[in-house]
Amino acid sequence: MTKAVVVFSGGQDSTTCLAWALRKFGRVQAITFDYGQRHAAELDAARTIAGKLGVRHRVVDLRGFGQCSESALTRADVEVAAGGGLGGLPSTFTPCRNLVFLTMAAAYAISEGAFDLVTGVCETDYSGYPDCRRRTIDHLQETIALGNDLPGFWIHTPLMFRDKRETVELARDLGILPLLADTHTCYFGRRPACGTCPACILRLRGFAAACVPDPIEYEVSAG
Amino acid sequence: MTKAVVVFSGGQDSTTCLAWALRKFGRVQAITFDYGQRHAAELDAARTIAGKLGVRHRVVDLRGFGQCSESALTRADVEVAAGGGLGGLPSTFTPCRNLVFLTMAAAYAISEGAFDLVTGVCETDYSGYPDCRRRTIDHLQETIALGNDLPGFWIHTPLMFRDKRETVELARDLGILPLLADTHTCYFGRRPACGTCPACILRLRGFAAACVPDPIEYEVSAG
């Protein structure tokens, strides 16, 4: 029976990916990285949703990643070397973050005998993040296949070319809209969500465009 | 000034790489991963050697990696899915381990404004490890370059096609033989080293073939 591992943050996108994987694969497991998220609520949401879907779920301590990346780029007082290509990237970009998550998730998947990995990365909404592009994912997939002698290893990106509206429509078609009530999006970690931060606005726009009510509560309605 | 980061375990090979990098690059930093090594002495050796070479050194907590990889493949009671390509690999192979180390090290390097990464992986001695082959490293290099919009990112592997004799000769030519007295090789972590485990024997053979005395002490001489 084909077995897949889903990189699962407990957010709207990866919850949709988890439901997508449950339709496509015989057996599905989820992995969540604790990298010192701003809000512990995100990890709680991941545990709650995995439990409701009856999916085996592992939380992996990756707080050490902060020791790698909390460096020059994230400190205004340190000069970044000239000539690097990082100047044009959004200030929220952390070098190699998705690559580290996906490679760690691949280690887990392969150790569990699963050769299909699923991630919610998306070119449409995050075109400024070069590690979210399908071309990068293709190269990573080939690297992992070569590095483990596993030519059949695959990284699935069901949301890659969907915009937020289409992602909400996919969630609706998969019948998991009620489950999205447990997901966290608000940048400030508020519950009810603030409704005014960029993350809340992006989420609300997607639901509005899909003509689907967002099941979470907001302090301020964007509508 | 060109700046490089060396993946540094405190062992013979990565110490030689560190000395090699100090000759080649204007500024050099070292990164060591604490992944729950069998012997704390390895981390101590890394700190000692980095100190003697005056190299900035960061130890990153990666013990969470064990949560990813201590799974089916490392447990005899769990069946590994049929059809995987892992059957032919050595039992000591951990899926994605080098890929995770190198990607984390790349995150650190890029955050520090260093676009050259140095690692001691080697096809000659570890041909059974598919993530030590230059072809895999080439793909990873391209993945990291694409994933960070850094076309100039490079992974250097000075030991890739050297056998143990040639690595000892390189250490001699770099003038760091006395420093190898601080490196740890023994599989059992003994000091004096046991001299009879496969790791000690491989090390002793390299020194013998290069006609160079090994500066560490052994309980039993293989000579």
Side-chain angles (χ1 to χ4, degrees):
Chain A
M1 194 156 59
T2 315
K3 196 172 173 181
V5 165
V6 179
V7 183
F8 180 56
S9 71
Q12 179 191 346
D13 288 353
S14 65
T15 298
T16 305
C17 285
L18 191 53
W20 178 88
L22 284 165
R23 288 279 179 98
K24 186 175 171 72
F25 298 100
R27 286 175 64 192
V28 173
Q29 297 173 213
I31 185 169
T32 299
F33 295 105
D34 175 2
Y35 56 93
Q37 281 88 334
R38 236 187 317 268
H39 316 298
E42 291 181 26
L43 292 180
D44 291 341
R47 289 193 186 95
T48 302
I49 295 163
K52 285 188 179 177
L53 288 171
V55 164
R56 214 172 114 201
H57 180 221
R58 184 166 297 187
V59 178
V60 170
D61 180 357
L62 194 51
R63 283 170 293 176
F65 184 62
Q67 297 171 274
C68 288
S69 57
E70 277 167 9
S71 301
L73 277 184
T74 50
R75 295 197 320 255
D77 59 315
V78 178
E79 181 200 0
V80 173
L86 294 169
L89 294 179
S91 62
T92 49
F93 177 74
T94 303
C96 293
R97 194 171 73 167
N98 270 324
L99 301 181
V100 166
F101 285 6
L102 289 171
T103 309
M104 292 273 282
Y108 174 62
I110 296 168
S111 297
E112 293 282 322
F115 309 122
D116 289 275
L117 190 63
V118 181
T119 169
V121 297
C122 170
E123 284 198 9
T124 316
D125 287 320
Y126 301 96
S127 54
Y129 281 32
D131 55 352
C132 290
R133 295 181 198 139
R134 184 63 224 184
R135 190 165 166 235
T136 305
I137 302 294
D138 280 340
H139 273 77
L140 180 63
Q141 176 179 290
E142 180 69 10
T143 302
I144 293 169
L146 274 171
N148 295 280
D149 263 355
L150 277 176
F153 184 84
W154 199 262
I155 304 178
H156 304 265
T157 53
L159 309 185
M160 184 56 83
F161 302 106
R162 284 185 162 98
D163 62 19
K164 279 284 172 201
R165 175 180 65 79
E166 292 167 317
T167 299
V168 171
E169 288 169 349
L170 178 62
R172 179 197 61 202
D173 297 347
L174 290 165
I176 57 145
L177 285 178
L179 211 56
L180 296 187
D182 292 305
T183 63
H184 248 272
T185 300
C186 179
Y187 185 83
F188 298 109
R190 294 208 194 131
R191 202 106 212 213
C194 77
T196 54
C197 72
C200 278
I201 288 175
L202 192 66
R203 173 172 173 138
L204 281 163
R205 277 194 194 144
F207 278 89
C211 300
V212 163
D214 186 343
I216 66 168
E217 277 183 76
Y218 288 92
E219 287 172 5
V220 178
S221 167
Chain B
M1 194 157 61
T2 316
K3 198 171 171 183
V5 165
V6 179
V7 183
F8 181 56
S9 71
Q12 179 191 347
D13 289 353
S14 65
T15 298
T16 305
C17 286
L18 191 52
W20 177 87
L22 283 165
R23 287 279 179 100
K24 187 175 170 74
F25 299 99
R27 286 175 65 191
V28 173
Q29 297 174 212
I31 185 169
T32 299
F33 295 106
D34 174 4
Y35 56 94
Q37 280 87 334
R38 236 188 317 269
H39 317 298
E42 291 181 27
L43 292 180
D44 290 341
R47 288 193 187 94
T48 302
I49 295 163
K52 286 187 179 179
L53 288 171
V55 164
R56 215 173 114 202
H57 180 221
R58 185 167 296 187
V59 177
V60 170
D61 180 358
L62 196 50
R63 282 170 294 175
F65 184 63
Q67 297 171 279
C68 289
S69 57
E70 277 167 9
S71 300
L73 278 184
T74 50
R75 295 198 320 255
D77 59 315
V78 177
E79 181 201 359
V80 174
L86 294 169
L89 294 180
S91 63
T92 49
F93 178 74
T94 302
C96 294
R97 195 171 69 166
N98 270 323
L99 302 181
V100 166
F101 285 5
L102 289 171
T103 310
M104 292 273 281
Y108 174 61
I110 296 167
S111 297
E112 293 283 321
F115 307 123
D116 289 274
L117 191 64
V118 181
T119 169
V121 297
C122 170
E123 283 198 8
T124 316
D125 287 321
Y126 302 96
S127 53
Y129 281 33
D131 55 353
C132 290
R133 294 182 199 137
R134 184 64 224 186
R135 190 167 166 233
T136 305
I137 302 295
D138 280 339
H139 273 76
L140 181 62
Q141 177 179 288
E142 180 70 10
T143 302
I144 292 168
L146 275 171
N148 295 280
D149 262 354
L150 277 176
F153 184 83
W154 199 263
I155 305 179
H156 303 264
T157 53
L159 308 185
M160 184 57 84
F161 302 108
R162 283 184 162 99
D163 61 20
K164 278 286 173 202
R165 175 179 65 78
E166 293 167 316
T167 299
V168 171
E169 288 168 350
L170 177 62
R172 181 197 61 201
D173 296 347
L174 289 165
I176 57 144
L177 285 177
L179 211 56
L180 297 186
D182 292 305
T183 62
H184 249 272
T185 300
C186 180
Y187 185 83
F188 298 110
R190 292 206 196 133
R191 202 107 212 214
C194 78
T196 54
C197 72
C200 279
I201 287 174
L202 192 65
R203 173 173 173 136
L204 281 163
R205 276 193 193 144
F207 278 89
C211 299
V212 164
D214 186 343
I216 65 168
E217 278 183 73
Y218 289 93
E219 287 172 4
V220 179
S221 167

